Amino acid sequence: MINLDLQKIEKSVSWPNTIISAKGGEPHKFFPEYNLMKPESVVRDDKRETTLFTTSAIQRLESMESKGVDLSTVPNFMVYQPVIRMQYVNDVKQGTGTSFINFAAVTINGTEEQFISSANNLIKTMVNYGATPDRVDVRTSTYQAQWGNKKFSESFLALYLGEDQISEVIFMHDFPYMSKTYNIIEVGMGLERLNWLLNKNGLYLPVFKEFYTDSKLDKDNMTALLDCVHTSVLMAASGIVPKYKGQGSKMRMLLKKLMPLLNQNKVDLRLLVKISYEYWLSTGIQFIHSEQDTYDVISKEVERNYHSQEISELEEKENFKINLDINLPEIEFRKRLNKLMYDHQLQKQRNGK
């Protein structure tokens, strides 16, 4: 294990006086010697993997190991990785979401000098996003980490704006990989949160600016509405369909959460899907489904939820059980529901009610 002097490293971090050539939103420009990889699917389908979805860019190591890739042959790489973190589903508001783009620059067999170099490249990236030394705190620490059954220690240097962490560089000591161990350095940041905290544009998802402008909801609830669709697009385009179990159950959960928000604020669902689909594509991710197929999956589930909602309201109002398949297409559903309600009203008349 390399014994990192974190106090020395913290003092070695320097802030440039001017913004470099790359504009905010292009952190890869500060890691020119790293290979830019295409992101992988957000769907984790190997039984040895530890999560249902890709939750961080560094999970690329897990994917490589499951495929038997010799890590010593892998060059240093960076990636703009769409990720899904469903643990935030009940806490979505401005500044948080269940999906985002996680940028990472990963060094294989890293050294202390490379850790310092990565930290300085991170600082340059933050300056281009609008960070200044008077606004940002540098904090260091070492702790024990665990990925599934892998145990190792991590030393990290993190940048904070107040109490909000905006980015970090991590040294993973003796990371277990197949039958060997490696020292891994990862520079990581969530681009949406970083941009929101540093640029103060007021919107966590500015790509949906027009929806915020016309919304009847406050910014937090509108962010929650947009997040439900934004993450569902990432799921559906990656081949997930709503189900009762597994990954599909998470999509069903999101679109069920969407319904009360839609009741308060109608949106152009097709346009939302289009914007989200193009946003995720900008990372270089390769989707299974087209934009149209993605919309069809989501709109069908939204329609299903509307059917369920309508039946529940009618059952409560009329005080009788309605046995009708909510998965029916809208026209057939409407036809059968009207027939059931007509028969119900006739029966009520016969009974003198």
Side-chain angles (χ1 to χ4, degrees):
M1 174 175 170
I2 294 178
N3 186 21
L4 295 182
D5 186 340
L6 290 177
Q7 289 185 337
K8 170 189 168 184
I9 289 172
E10 187 173 342
K11 292 177 181 178
S12 300
V13 172
S14 59
W15 288 80
N17 295 322
T18 58
I19 293 180
I20 329 316
S21 58
K23 63 182 179 179
E26 296 183 317
H28 67 277
K29 294 288 183 70
F30 297 98
F31 299 87
E33 297 179 358
Y34 289 64
N35 288 353
L36 181 60
M37 285 188 172
K38 285 188 175 295
E40 60 183 343
S41 173
V42 295
V43 181
R44 315 297 290 184
D45 56 8
D46 191 292
K47 293 181 180 179
R48 291 171 292 181
E49 293 174 346
T50 55
T51 57
L52 287 174
F53 302 105
T54 300
T55 60
S56 65
I58 195 64
Q59 271 185 283
R60 193 58 160 261
L61 298 181
E62 187 176 69
S63 302
M64 291 177 180
E65 185 174 22
S66 70
K67 296 173 183 176
V69 175
D70 181 354
L71 197 57
S72 66
T73 67
V74 176
N76 298 336
F77 66 90
M78 53 187 171
V79 62
Y80 290 92
Q81 178 64 53
V83 300
I84 295 175
R85 295 186 182 177
M86 288 299 295
Q87 64 265 41
Y88 299 127
V89 66
N90 294 320
D91 301 307
V92 173
K93 57 185 178 181
Q94 284 284 75
T96 59
T98 57
S99 60
F100 57 93
I101 299 172
N102 180 208
F103 173 81
V106 179
T107 307
I108 311 297
N109 278 329
T111 64
E112 180 175 338
E113 290 72 24
Q114 287 174 311
F115 186 80
I116 294 172
S117 175
S118 293
N120 281 313
N121 286 336
L122 175 61
I123 291 291
K124 292 175 185 176
T125 306
M126 295 303 98
V127 168
N128 265 36
Y129 271 94
T132 54
D134 59 308
R135 296 177 64 196
V136 176
D137 293 327
V138 179
R139 304 179 190 178
T140 57
S141 183
T142 298
Y143 60 93
Q144 295 301 309
Q146 184 168 351
W147 281 17
N149 60 0
K150 296 180 186 292
K151 295 181 180 180
F152 52 96
S153 64
E154 290 186 339
S155 299
F156 77 95
L157 181 149
L159 303 184
Y160 281 79
L161 186 67
E163 292 304 311
D164 293 307
Q165 183 177 327
I166 56 176
S167 56
E168 64 188 7
V169 54
I170 300 174
F171 195 106
M172 303 162 67
H173 299 270
D174 299 326
F175 177 78
Y177 184 95
M178 294 169 69
S179 60
K180 300 179 180 179
T181 60
Y182 294 84
N183 292 321
I184 306 293
I185 299 172
E186 180 207 9
V187 174
M189 62 197 80
L191 299 189
E192 293 84 349
R193 183 168 174 79
L194 173 63
N195 191 61
W196 178 71
L197 284 168
L198 288 177
N199 289 343
K200 297 298 181 184
N201 58 25
L203 300 177
Y204 178 65
L205 296 171
V207 69
F208 299 115
K209 182 178 180 180
E210 62 185 277
F211 289 91
Y212 283 101
T213 302
D214 300 330
S215 175
K216 297 177 182 178
L217 301 170
D218 61 29
K219 286 183 179 179
D220 283 342
N221 281 312
M222 193 60 199
T223 299
L225 184 157
L226 295 169
D227 179 78
C228 288
V229 179
H230 199 42
T231 303
S232 293
V233 167
L234 184 53
M235 291 180 177
S238 301
I240 296 173
V241 294
K243 293 181 179 179
Y244 286 106
K245 294 182 179 180
Q247 292 148 333
S249 69
K250 306 304 180 184
M251 185 177 177
R252 178 151 285 172
M253 178 196 304
L254 280 170
L255 293 176
K256 186 174 183 180
K257 179 188 173 187
L258 174 67
M259 299 313 295
L261 296 168
L262 280 182
N263 290 336
Q264 299 174 63
N265 191 89
K266 302 299 182 185
V267 296
D268 184 341
L269 184 61
R270 184 177 289 277
L271 180 57
L272 256 184
V273 169
K274 175 181 175 60
I275 293 172
S276 283
Y277 192 90
E278 292 176 352
Y279 180 86
W280 294 122
L281 275 184
S282 71
T283 66
I285 195 169
Q286 295 180 318
F287 283 142
I288 293 175
H289 288 162
S290 67
E291 180 189 316
Q292 181 61 52
D293 289 342
T294 298
Y295 171 76
D296 290 343
V297 169
I298 293 173
S299 61
K300 181 179 179 181
E301 183 70 8
V302 169
E303 183 177 88
R304 177 183 184 276
N305 287 333
Y306 272 127
H307 291 169
S308 177
Q309 178 178 287
E310 184 175 2
I311 286 176
S312 295
E313 291 172 353
L314 282 172
E315 286 180 336
E316 182 176 355
K317 178 182 177 182
E318 298 294 333
N319 194 29
F320 90 112
K321 181 69 175 175
I322 299 175
N323 293 312
L324 186 58
D325 185 0
I326 60 175
N327 295 297
L328 289 169
E330 169 63 18
I331 293 176
E332 184 63 23
F333 175 84
R334 192 64 45 206
K335 177 182 176 182
R336 296 191 189 188
L337 181 61
N338 289 341
K339 178 66 166 58
L340 283 171
M341 295 309 298
Y342 178 78
D343 292 344
H344 174 66
Q345 294 301 325
L346 283 180
Q347 189 61 44
K348 283 176 66 175
Q349 291 176 9
R350 293 191 187 104
N351 294 339
K353 295 183 180 180

